[in-house]
Amino acid sequence: MLKRLLVTSLIFACLSVSSLSAMELIKSDAPFNERWKLKINGITYHFSSDSDVNECNYGLGFTYSLGDLDCKWSLLDGLKTAVEVDAYNDSYEDLGYSIGVAFQKPLTDKLPLDWGLHVGLIHEDHLAEKSGLFLHPYVFPYLETTFHFPVNARVLAFPPVHNDGIIALQLIVKF
């Protein structure tokens, strides 16, 4: 299972690099302080029957908006691109860190709801014992509300790699 995840991540990275010539990042013209968002991690739901898991994965993170992608492909055109960093308490009470890039786009024109992908690397205490890796690549899909309020919500889906899958809730606070 781990080898399949690594191969999939490698293929995704290669496809991303090969298509860079067809993309351009249009930098955000928002003031520096408006590009930041605070992420508050919290409630999770595990699809496993393991009673030892922690359903309150508290932590904090930050999102820094880089801008929008300009691309020939309509699926990627206009993707909001951001760097994201998190520190959190994982399902087994271990401290975890992640750094990655988030790509986000409106789901429809009628709803204040975006879909996105968060791609990056994770390190958790005891990760090498669990997976044999010091850093673990990840790709998490998510939905995020985009109301004109200072606080919105993001629901992430963690695929079943070392578990049966997890749904997590984050609060997104605009500065």
Side-chain angles (χ1 to χ4, degrees):
M1 172 93 64
L2 180 60
K3 289 180 184 177
R4 182 173 35 164
L5 177 66
L6 291 174
V7 169
T8 303
S9 299
L10 183 60
I11 290 170
F12 180 77
C14 290
L15 288 174
S16 297
V17 170
S18 69
S19 62
L20 286 177
S21 62
M23 286 189 228
E24 181 182 358
L25 179 64
I26 308 298
K27 292 183 180 180
S28 174
D29 59 354
F32 180 77
N33 62 333
E34 291 179 15
R35 293 189 220 170
W36 291 92
K37 294 179 189 174
L38 173 69
K39 297 189 314 179
I40 303 171
N41 301 318
I43 307 296
T44 57
Y45 175 77
H46 294 75
F47 290 102
S48 71
S49 59
D50 186 0
S51 61
D52 293 338
V53 295
N54 175 24
E55 298 286 358
C56 298
N57 304 108
Y58 300 120
L60 291 175
F62 290 96
T63 297
Y64 178 74
S65 177
L66 298 173
D68 298 339
L69 285 182
D70 181 20
C71 183
K72 295 177 185 177
W73 303 319
S74 62
L75 181 65
L76 300 179
D77 192 39
L79 278 175
K80 297 180 225 170
T81 306
V83 173
E84 298 196 348
V85 177
D86 280 288
Y88 57 91
N89 189 21
D90 80 354
S91 301
Y92 296 99
E93 305 283 343
D94 292 330
L95 184 60
Y97 313 93
S98 71
I99 184 165
V101 178
F103 301 101
Q104 187 171 321
K105 191 169 186 176
L107 192 59
T108 69
D109 293 335
K110 299 180 191 264
L111 293 174
L113 188 65
D114 287 2
W115 65 270
L117 279 178
H118 192 218
V119 181
L121 294 171
I122 275 181
H123 172 75
E124 295 174 351
D125 292 345
H126 309 292
L127 182 64
E129 297 165 12
K130 296 176 194 173
S131 69
L133 297 172
F134 181 75
L135 290 174
H136 206 291
Y138 68 85
V139 178
F140 300 146
Y142 66 86
L143 292 173
E144 184 177 315
T145 62
T146 56
F147 295 108
H148 295 290
F149 302 133
V151 179
N152 279 284
R154 179 185 286 183
V155 177
L156 295 109
F158 295 82
V161 177
H162 294 288
N163 53 49
D164 293 329
I166 303 169
I167 299 292
L169 174 68
Q170 290 180 324
L171 294 180
I172 308 296
V173 182
K174 298 176 189 174
F175 290 104

